[in-house]
Amino acid sequence: MSDSIKINRLNGRVAIVTASTEGIGFAIARRLASEGAKVIISSRKEEHVSNAVNKLEREGLHVTGLVCHVAKSEDRKKLFAASERLGGLDILISNAAVNPEVVGVLNTSEKAWDKIFDVNLKAAFLLSKESLPQLRKSKYGRIVFVSSISAYQHFLLPGAYSVSKTALLGLTKATAMQLGPQNITVNCVAPGTIETRFSTILTNTKSGMEWCLSKTLLGRLGKPDDISGVVAFLVSDDGGFVSGETIVASGGMTCHL
């Protein structure tokens, strides 16, 4: 994150960011906290949570860390109990995703299919549903799903993953329609190829990297902070009249669709 960012649009607000100890999720958590939010970060491994919390606290940011597997009901309950202790939830960022098999969609095992949809889609739905008692009390209720450019341009090998990310676009629309009258906005961000551990499935070979770069207009991969700024806009008052939308932040990859 740029040291020049000194905005305080989120003072006093409480945010949950799932899968937020590295990559895009960590960048989102850092950005929201830097703008004044009290942020609950989480991931499945205690070591990763502790490392992320320590790093952000050293930067003077207000964060809380919890171990959370979003597909487990008891773990999701812990997240919302933590936000209640902080004064109630204002912002939910659903970022967790898995891709256990790198194969074409019809080569995906049933076990992998179930895991992908349990984490990437069903957990996003359940988190949204379970967040409502607190979000309805907030003056600034915000939900943001993190999808992917693969929702629009399906990749051959992570086929089921791409399908799950397309489904998030529909979940965004349907949820926004239902929650709009309650003054809760629901939006989605679809990142392009971002420099993270997760993206190495595409970039760990010379040909893969060349393909990714050839699909952008800017001639580079994205960085996690390229996404965190978009999310910060959507959950701030500046994004208060945006709902039911998906913002594609891909360096222009959609121009090749």
Side-chain angles (χ1 to χ4, degrees):
M1 184 183 64
S2 172
D3 291 336
S4 64
I5 297 175
K6 302 294 182 183
I7 310 171
N8 293 304
R9 295 181 294 186
L10 305 178
N11 278 347
R13 302 184 196 183
V14 177
I16 288 173
V17 186
T18 64
S20 48
T21 58
E22 64 178 353
I24 291 173
F26 181 78
I28 292 171
R30 173 189 266 168
R31 177 61 183 262
L32 301 191
S34 75
E35 294 206 21
K38 302 172 185 178
V39 179
I40 301 166
I41 65 174
S42 66
S43 77
R44 290 177 294 170
K45 296 185 178 180
E46 177 68 45
E47 180 183 3
H48 294 172
V49 173
S50 296
N51 290 341
V53 168
N54 290 338
K55 184 173 183 179
L56 294 177
E57 286 184 338
R58 287 196 298 269
E59 296 177 11
L61 302 177
H62 193 309
V63 296
T64 300
L66 290 175
V67 173
C68 177
H69 188 311
V70 295
K72 295 182 177 180
S73 175
E74 61 271 25
D75 283 6
R76 296 194 305 273
K77 288 178 180 177
K78 291 177 184 177
L79 283 181
F80 296 119
S83 61
E84 188 70 56
R85 289 193 295 271
L86 290 173
L89 184 67
D90 302 290
I91 299 164
L92 171 66
I93 312 297
S94 179
N95 176 61
V98 296
N99 183 41
E101 292 183 358
V102 186
V103 296
V105 63
L106 297 181
N107 299 111
T108 305
S109 68
E110 183 176 357
K111 181 179 179 180
W113 179 275
D114 288 344
K115 183 174 183 178
I116 288 167
F117 278 83
D118 277 349
V119 174
N120 299 9
L121 185 64
K122 184 179 179 180
F125 155 71
L126 290 172
L127 283 164
S128 302
K129 185 174 183 177
E130 293 160 2
S131 71
L132 289 182
Q134 292 185 47
L135 286 181
R136 284 175 174 146
K137 297 176 184 178
S138 172
K139 296 179 181 178
Y140 317 99
R142 303 282 193 268
I143 297 174
V144 177
F145 301 118
V146 179
S147 180
S148 167
I149 188 64
S150 67
Y152 297 92
Q153 180 173 333
H154 282 212
F155 300 132
L156 175 62
L157 292 183
Y161 170 86
S162 297
V163 174
S164 73
K165 290 300 187 176
T166 302
L168 277 178
L169 307 186
L171 181 62
T172 299
K173 293 285 188 185
T175 307
M177 290 179 67
Q178 183 173 352
L179 297 183
Q182 300 173 51
N183 200 35
I184 298 171
T185 70
V186 184
N187 291 290
C188 187
V189 178
T193 309
I194 309 298
E195 291 181 3
T196 65
R197 180 181 59 84
F198 199 82
S199 71
T200 56
I201 185 177
L202 298 173
T203 62
N204 61 358
T205 65
K206 182 179 179 181
S207 60
M209 177 66 80
E210 289 175 347
W211 183 86
C212 290
L213 293 176
S214 73
K215 296 298 181 180
T216 73
L217 301 182
L218 302 182
R220 68 172 178 88
L221 301 184
K223 297 184 180 300
D225 285 339
D226 290 322
I227 307 305
S228 65
V230 177
V231 173
F233 159 73
L234 288 171
V235 302
S236 74
D237 289 349
D238 293 332
F241 199 55
V242 181
S243 195
E245 305 293 349
T246 297
I247 296 180
V248 179
S250 67
M253 289 183 76
T254 53
C255 291
H256 292 279
L257 298 184

Coordinates of all heavy atoms in Angstrom, one line a residue, residues 19-86:
A19 N -10.2 -15.2 4.6 CA -9.0 -15.6 3.8 C -8.1 -14.4 3.7 O -7.7 -14.0 2.5 CB -9.3 -16.2 2.5
S20 N -7.7 -13.8 4.8 CA -7.0 -12.4 4.7 C -5.7 -12.4 5.4 O -5.2 -11.3 5.8 CB -8.0 -11.4 5.4 OG -8.4 -11.9 6.7
T21 N -4.9 -13.5 5.3 CA -3.6 -13.5 5.9 C -2.5 -13.4 4.9 O -1.3 -13.3 5.2 CB -3.4 -14.7 6.8 OG1 -3.6 -15.9 6.0 CG2 -4.3 -14.7 8.0
E22 N -2.9 -13.4 3.6 CA -1.9 -13.2 2.5 C -2.7 -12.8 1.3 O -3.9 -12.8 1.2 CB -1.2 -14.5 2.2 CG -2.0 -15.6 1.7 CD -1.2 -16.9 1.4 OE1 0.0 -16.9 1.5 OE2 -1.8 -17.9 1.1
G23 N -1.9 -12.4 0.3 CA -2.5 -12.0 -1.0 C -3.5 -10.9 -1.0 O -3.4 -9.9 -0.3
I24 N -4.5 -11.1 -1.8 CA -5.6 -10.1 -2.0 C -6.3 -9.8 -0.7 O -6.5 -8.7 -0.3 CB -6.6 -10.5 -3.1 CG1 -5.9 -10.5 -4.5 CG2 -7.8 -9.6 -3.1 CD1 -6.7 -11.0 -5.6
G25 N -6.6 -10.9 0.1 CA -7.3 -10.7 1.3 C -6.5 -9.9 2.3 O -7.1 -9.0 3.0
F26 N -5.2 -10.1 2.4 CA -4.4 -9.4 3.3 C -4.3 -7.9 2.9 O -4.4 -7.0 3.8 CB -3.0 -10.0 3.4 CG -2.0 -9.3 4.3 CD1 -2.1 -9.5 5.7 CD2 -1.1 -8.4 3.8 CE1 -1.2 -8.9 6.5 CE2 -0.2 -7.7 4.7 CZ -0.3 -8.0 6.0
A27 N -4.2 -7.7 1.6 CA -4.1 -6.3 1.1 C -5.4 -5.6 1.4 O -5.4 -4.4 1.8 CB -3.8 -6.3 -0.4
I28 N -6.6 -6.2 1.3 CA -7.9 -5.6 1.6 C -7.9 -5.3 3.1 O -8.3 -4.2 3.5 CB -9.0 -6.5 1.2 CG1 -9.1 -6.7 -0.3 CG2 -10.3 -6.0 1.7 CD1 -10.1 -7.7 -0.8
A29 N -7.5 -6.3 3.9 CA -7.6 -6.0 5.4 C -6.7 -4.8 5.8 O -7.1 -4.0 6.6 CB -7.1 -7.3 6.1
R30 N -5.5 -4.8 5.2 CA -4.6 -3.7 5.5 C -5.2 -2.3 5.1 O -5.1 -1.4 5.8 CB -3.3 -3.9 4.8 CG -2.3 -2.7 4.9 CD -1.1 -3.0 4.1 NE 0.0 -3.6 4.8 CZ 1.1 -4.1 4.3 NH1 1.2 -4.1 2.9 NH2 2.1 -4.6 5.0
R31 N -5.8 -2.3 3.9 CA -6.3 -1.1 3.4 C -7.5 -0.6 4.2 O -7.6 0.6 4.5 CB -6.7 -1.2 1.9 CG -7.4 0.0 1.3 CD -6.4 1.2 1.2 NE -7.1 2.4 0.7 CZ -6.9 2.8 -0.6 NH1 -6.2 2.1 -1.4 NH2 -7.6 3.9 -1.0
L32 N -8.4 -1.5 4.5 CA -9.6 -1.1 5.3 C -9.1 -0.6 6.7 O -9.6 0.4 7.2 CB -10.5 -2.2 5.5 CG -11.1 -2.8 4.2 CD1 -12.3 -3.8 4.5 CD2 -11.6 -1.8 3.2
A33 N -8.2 -1.3 7.3 CA -7.6 -0.8 8.6 C -6.9 0.5 8.5 O -7.0 1.3 9.4 CB -6.7 -1.9 9.2
S34 N -6.2 0.7 7.4 CA -5.5 2.0 7.3 C -6.4 3.1 7.1 O -6.1 4.3 7.4 CB -4.6 1.9 6.0 OG -5.3 2.0 4.8
E35 N -7.7 2.8 6.7 CA -8.7 3.9 6.5 C -9.6 4.0 7.8 O -10.6 4.7 7.7 CB -9.5 3.6 5.3 CG -8.8 3.8 4.0 CD -9.6 4.1 2.8 OE1 -10.7 4.7 3.0 OE2 -9.2 3.9 1.7
G36 N -9.2 3.3 8.8 CA -9.8 3.6 10.1 C -10.7 2.4 10.6 O -11.3 2.5 11.7
A37 N -10.9 1.4 9.8 CA -11.8 0.3 10.2 C -11.1 -0.6 11.3 O -9.9 -0.7 11.3 CB -12.2 -0.5 9.0
K38 N -12.0 -1.2 12.1 CA -11.5 -2.3 13.0 C -11.7 -3.6 12.2 O -12.9 -3.9 11.9 CB -12.3 -2.3 14.3 CG -12.2 -1.0 15.1 CD -13.2 -1.1 16.3 CE -13.2 0.2 17.0 NZ -14.2 0.2 18.1
V39 N -10.7 -4.3 11.9 CA -10.7 -5.4 10.9 C -10.5 -6.7 11.6 O -9.5 -6.9 12.3 CB -9.7 -5.2 9.8 CG1 -9.8 -6.3 8.8 CG2 -10.0 -3.8 9.0
I40 N -11.3 -7.7 11.3 CA -11.2 -9.0 11.8 C -10.6 -9.8 10.6 O -11.3 -10.0 9.6 CB -12.5 -9.7 12.2 CG1 -13.0 -8.8 13.4 CG2 -12.3 -11.1 12.7 CD1 -14.5 -9.1 13.7
I41 N -9.4 -10.3 10.7 CA -8.8 -11.1 9.7 C -8.9 -12.6 10.1 O -9.0 -12.9 11.2 CB -7.3 -10.7 9.4 CG1 -6.4 -11.0 10.6 CG2 -7.3 -9.2 9.0 CD1 -5.0 -10.7 10.3
S42 N -8.8 -13.5 9.1 CA -8.9 -14.9 9.4 C -8.3 -15.7 8.3 O -8.1 -15.3 7.1 CB -10.4 -15.3 9.5 OG -11.1 -15.1 8.2
S43 N -8.0 -16.9 8.6 CA -7.6 -18.0 7.7 C -7.7 -19.3 8.4 O -7.9 -19.3 9.6 CB -6.2 -17.8 7.1 OG -5.2 -18.1 8.0
R44 N -7.3 -20.4 7.8 CA -7.5 -21.7 8.4 C -6.4 -22.1 9.3 O -6.5 -23.0 10.1 CB -7.7 -22.8 7.3 CG -9.0 -22.7 6.5 CD -9.0 -23.7 5.4 NE -8.0 -23.4 4.4 CZ -7.7 -24.3 3.4 NH1 -8.3 -25.5 3.3 NH2 -6.8 -23.9 2.5
K45 N -5.2 -21.4 9.2 CA -4.1 -21.8 10.0 C -3.7 -20.7 11.0 O -3.5 -19.6 10.7 CB -2.9 -22.1 9.1 CG -3.1 -23.3 8.1 CD -1.9 -23.6 7.3 CE -2.2 -24.8 6.4 NZ -1.0 -25.1 5.6
E46 N -3.5 -21.2 12.3 CA -3.2 -20.3 13.4 C -1.9 -19.5 13.1 O -1.8 -18.3 13.4 CB -3.1 -21.1 14.7 CG -2.7 -20.3 15.9 CD -3.8 -19.3 16.3 OE1 -4.9 -19.7 16.4 OE2 -3.4 -18.1 16.6
E47 N -0.9 -20.2 12.6 CA 0.4 -19.5 12.4 C 0.2 -18.4 11.4 O 0.8 -17.3 11.6 CB 1.4 -20.5 11.8 CG 2.8 -19.9 11.5 CD 3.7 -20.9 10.9 OE1 3.3 -22.1 10.6 OE2 4.9 -20.6 10.7
H48 N -0.5 -18.6 10.3 CA -0.8 -17.5 9.3 C -1.5 -16.3 10.0 O -1.2 -15.2 9.7 CB -1.5 -18.0 8.1 CG -0.7 -19.1 7.4 ND1 -1.3 -19.8 6.3 CD2 0.5 -19.5 7.4 CE1 -0.4 -20.6 5.8 NE2 0.7 -20.4 6.5
V49 N -2.5 -16.6 10.8 CA -3.3 -15.6 11.5 C -2.3 -14.8 12.4 O -2.4 -13.5 12.3 CB -4.4 -16.2 12.3 CG1 -5.1 -15.1 13.1 CG2 -5.4 -16.8 11.3
S50 N -1.6 -15.4 13.2 CA -0.7 -14.7 14.1 C 0.3 -13.9 13.4 O 0.6 -12.7 13.8 CB 0.1 -15.8 15.0 OG -0.8 -16.5 15.8
N51 N 0.9 -14.4 12.3 CA 1.9 -13.6 11.5 C 1.3 -12.4 10.9 O 1.9 -11.3 10.9 CB 2.5 -14.5 10.4 CG 3.4 -15.6 11.0 OD1 3.9 -15.5 12.1 ND2 3.7 -16.6 10.2
A52 N 0.1 -12.5 10.4 CA -0.6 -11.4 9.7 C -1.0 -10.3 10.8 O -0.8 -9.1 10.6 CB -1.8 -11.9 9.0
V53 N -1.5 -10.8 11.9 CA -1.9 -9.8 13.0 C -0.7 -9.1 13.5 O -0.7 -7.8 13.6 CB -2.6 -10.6 14.1 CG1 -2.7 -9.6 15.4 CG2 -4.0 -11.0 13.7
N54 N 0.4 -9.8 13.7 CA 1.6 -9.1 14.2 C 2.1 -8.1 13.2 O 2.6 -7.0 13.6 CB 2.7 -10.2 14.5 CG 2.4 -11.0 15.7 OD1 1.6 -10.6 16.5 ND2 3.0 -12.2 15.8
K55 N 2.1 -8.4 11.9 CA 2.6 -7.5 10.9 C 1.7 -6.2 10.9 O 2.3 -5.1 10.8 CB 2.6 -8.2 9.6 CG 3.2 -7.3 8.5 CD 3.3 -8.1 7.2 CE 4.0 -7.2 6.1 NZ 4.2 -8.0 4.8
L56 N 0.4 -6.4 10.9 CA -0.4 -5.2 10.8 C -0.4 -4.4 12.1 O -0.5 -3.2 12.1 CB -1.9 -5.7 10.5 CG -2.0 -6.3 9.1 CD1 -3.4 -6.7 8.8 CD2 -1.6 -5.3 8.0
E57 N -0.3 -5.1 13.2 CA -0.2 -4.3 14.5 C 1.1 -3.5 14.6 O 1.1 -2.4 15.1 CB -0.3 -5.3 15.7 CG -1.7 -5.8 15.9 CD -1.9 -6.7 17.1 OE1 -0.8 -7.2 17.6 OE2 -3.0 -6.8 17.6
R58 N 2.1 -4.0 14.0 CA 3.4 -3.3 14.0 C 3.2 -2.0 13.1 O 4.0 -1.0 13.3 CB 4.5 -4.1 13.4 CG 5.0 -5.2 14.4 CD 6.4 -5.7 14.0 NE 6.3 -6.4 12.7 CZ 6.1 -7.7 12.6 NH1 5.8 -8.5 13.6 NH2 6.1 -8.2 11.4
E59 N 2.3 -2.0 12.2 CA 2.0 -0.8 11.4 C 1.0 0.1 12.1 O 0.6 1.1 11.5 CB 1.5 -1.2 10.0 CG 2.5 -2.1 9.2 CD 1.9 -2.5 7.9 OE1 0.8 -2.1 7.5 OE2 2.5 -3.4 7.2
G60 N 0.6 -0.2 13.3 CA -0.3 0.6 14.1 C -1.7 0.5 13.7 O -2.5 1.3 14.0
L61 N -2.1 -0.7 13.1 CA -3.5 -0.9 12.6 C -4.3 -1.7 13.6 O -3.7 -2.5 14.3 CB -3.4 -1.6 11.2 CG -2.7 -0.8 10.1 CD1 -2.7 -1.6 8.8 CD2 -3.3 0.6 9.9
H62 N -5.6 -1.4 13.6 CA -6.5 -2.1 14.6 C -7.0 -3.4 13.9 O -7.9 -3.3 13.1 CB -7.6 -1.1 15.0 CG -8.4 -1.6 16.2 ND1 -8.9 -2.9 16.3 CD2 -8.8 -0.9 17.3 CE1 -9.6 -3.0 17.4 NE2 -9.5 -1.8 18.1
V63 N -6.4 -4.5 14.3 CA -6.9 -5.8 13.7 C -7.1 -6.8 14.8 O -6.4 -6.8 15.9 CB -5.9 -6.3 12.7 CG1 -5.8 -5.4 11.5 CG2 -4.5 -6.5 13.3
T64 N -7.9 -7.8 14.5 CA -8.2 -8.9 15.4 C -8.0 -10.1 14.5 O -8.5 -10.1 13.3 CB -9.6 -8.9 16.0 OG1 -9.7 -7.7 16.8 CG2 -9.8 -10.1 16.9
G65 N -7.5 -11.2 15.0 CA -7.3 -12.4 14.1 C -8.0 -13.6 14.7 O -8.0 -13.8 15.9
L66 N -8.6 -14.4 13.8 CA -9.3 -15.6 14.2 C -9.0 -16.7 13.2 O -8.9 -16.5 12.0 CB -10.8 -15.4 14.2 CG -11.4 -14.6 15.4 CD1 -12.9 -14.5 15.1 CD2 -11.1 -15.2 16.7
V67 N -8.9 -18.0 13.7 CA -8.8 -19.1 12.8 C -10.2 -19.4 12.3 O -11.2 -19.5 13.1 CB -8.2 -20.4 13.5 CG1 -8.4 -21.6 12.6 CG2 -6.8 -20.1 13.9
C68 N -10.4 -19.5 11.0 CA -11.7 -19.7 10.4 C -11.7 -20.5 9.1 O -11.0 -20.0 8.2 CB -12.4 -18.4 10.2 SG -14.1 -18.5 9.5
H69 N -12.3 -21.6 9.1 CA -12.6 -22.3 7.9 C -14.0 -21.9 7.5 O -15.0 -22.3 8.2 CB -12.5 -23.8 8.1 CG -12.5 -24.6 6.8 ND1 -13.5 -24.4 5.8 CD2 -11.7 -25.6 6.3 CE1 -13.3 -25.3 4.8 NE2 -12.3 -26.0 5.1
V70 N -14.2 -21.2 6.4 CA -15.5 -20.6 6.1 C -16.6 -21.6 5.9 O -17.8 -21.3 5.9 CB -15.5 -19.6 5.0 CG1 -14.6 -18.4 5.4 CG2 -15.0 -20.2 3.7
A71 N -16.2 -22.8 5.5 CA -17.2 -23.9 5.3 C -17.7 -24.5 6.6 O -18.6 -25.3 6.5 CB -16.7 -24.9 4.4
K72 N -17.2 -24.1 7.7 CA -17.6 -24.7 9.0 C -18.4 -23.7 9.8 O -18.0 -22.5 10.1 CB -16.3 -25.0 9.8 CG -15.5 -26.1 9.3 CD -14.3 -26.5 10.1 CE -13.5 -27.6 9.6 NZ -12.3 -28.0 10.5
S73 N -19.6 -24.1 10.1 CA -20.6 -23.2 10.8 C -20.0 -22.6 12.1 O -20.2 -21.5 12.4 CB -21.9 -24.0 11.1 OG -22.8 -23.2 11.8
E74 N -19.4 -23.5 12.9 CA -18.9 -23.0 14.2 C -17.8 -22.0 14.0 O -17.7 -21.0 14.9 CB -18.3 -24.2 15.0 CG -17.1 -25.0 14.4 CD -17.6 -26.1 13.5 OE1 -18.7 -26.1 12.9 OE2 -16.8 -27.0 13.3
D75 N -17.0 -22.0 13.0 CA -16.0 -21.0 12.7 C -16.6 -19.7 12.3 O -16.2 -18.6 12.7 CB -15.0 -21.5 11.6 CG -14.0 -22.5 12.2 OD1 -14.2 -22.9 13.4 OD2 -13.1 -22.9 11.5
R76 N -17.6 -19.8 11.4 CA -18.3 -18.5 11.0 C -19.0 -17.9 12.2 O -18.9 -16.6 12.3 CB -19.4 -18.8 9.9 CG -18.8 -19.4 8.6 CD -19.8 -19.3 7.5 NE -21.1 -20.1 7.9 CZ -21.3 -21.3 7.7 NH1 -20.3 -22.1 7.1 NH2 -22.4 -21.9 8.0
K77 N -19.5 -18.6 13.1 CA -20.1 -18.1 14.3 C -19.1 -17.3 15.1 O -19.4 -16.2 15.7 CB -20.8 -19.2 15.2 CG -22.1 -19.7 14.6 CD -22.6 -20.9 15.4 CE -23.9 -21.4 14.8 NZ -24.4 -22.6 15.6
K78 N -17.9 -17.8 15.2 CA -16.8 -17.1 15.9 C -16.5 -15.7 15.3 O -16.2 -14.8 16.0 CB -15.6 -18.0 16.0 CG -15.7 -19.2 16.8 CD -14.4 -20.1 16.7 CE -14.6 -21.4 17.5 NZ -13.4 -22.2 17.3
L79 N -16.6 -15.7 14.0 CA -16.3 -14.4 13.3 C -17.3 -13.4 13.7 O -17.0 -12.2 14.1 CB -16.4 -14.6 11.8 CG -15.2 -15.2 11.1 CD1 -15.5 -15.2 9.6 CD2 -13.9 -14.4 11.3
F80 N -18.6 -13.8 13.7 CA -19.7 -12.8 14.0 C -19.7 -12.5 15.5 O -20.1 -11.4 15.9 CB -21.0 -13.3 13.5 CG -21.0 -13.4 12.0 CD1 -21.2 -14.6 11.4 CD2 -20.8 -12.3 11.2 CE1 -21.2 -14.7 10.0 CE2 -20.8 -12.4 9.8 CZ -21.0 -13.6 9.2
A81 N -19.3 -13.4 16.3 CA -19.2 -13.1 17.8 C -18.1 -12.1 18.0 O -18.3 -11.2 18.8 CB -18.9 -14.4 18.6
A82 N -17.0 -12.2 17.2 CA -15.9 -11.2 17.4 C -16.4 -9.8 16.9 O -16.0 -8.8 17.5 CB -14.7 -11.7 16.5
S83 N -17.1 -9.7 15.8 CA -17.6 -8.4 15.3 C -18.6 -7.8 16.3 O -18.6 -6.6 16.5 CB -18.2 -8.5 13.9 OG -19.3 -9.4 13.9
E84 N -19.4 -8.6 16.9 CA -20.3 -8.2 17.9 C -19.6 -7.5 19.1 O -20.0 -6.5 19.6 CB -21.2 -9.3 18.4 CG -22.4 -8.9 19.3 CD -23.4 -8.1 18.6 OE1 -24.0 -8.7 17.6 OE2 -23.7 -7.0 19.0
R85 N -18.5 -8.2 19.5 CA -17.7 -7.6 20.6 C -17.1 -6.3 20.3 O -16.8 -5.4 21.1 CB -16.6 -8.6 21.0 CG -17.1 -9.9 21.7 CD -16.0 -10.6 22.4 NE -15.1 -11.2 21.4 CZ -15.2 -12.4 20.8 NH1 -16.2 -13.1 21.1 NH2 -14.3 -12.8 20.0
L86 N -16.8 -6.1 19.0 CA -16.2 -4.8 18.5 C -17.3 -3.7 18.3 O -16.9 -2.6 17.9 CB -15.4 -5.0 17.3 CG -14.1 -5.8 17.4 CD1 -13.5 -6.1 16.1 CD2 -13.1 -5.1 18.3

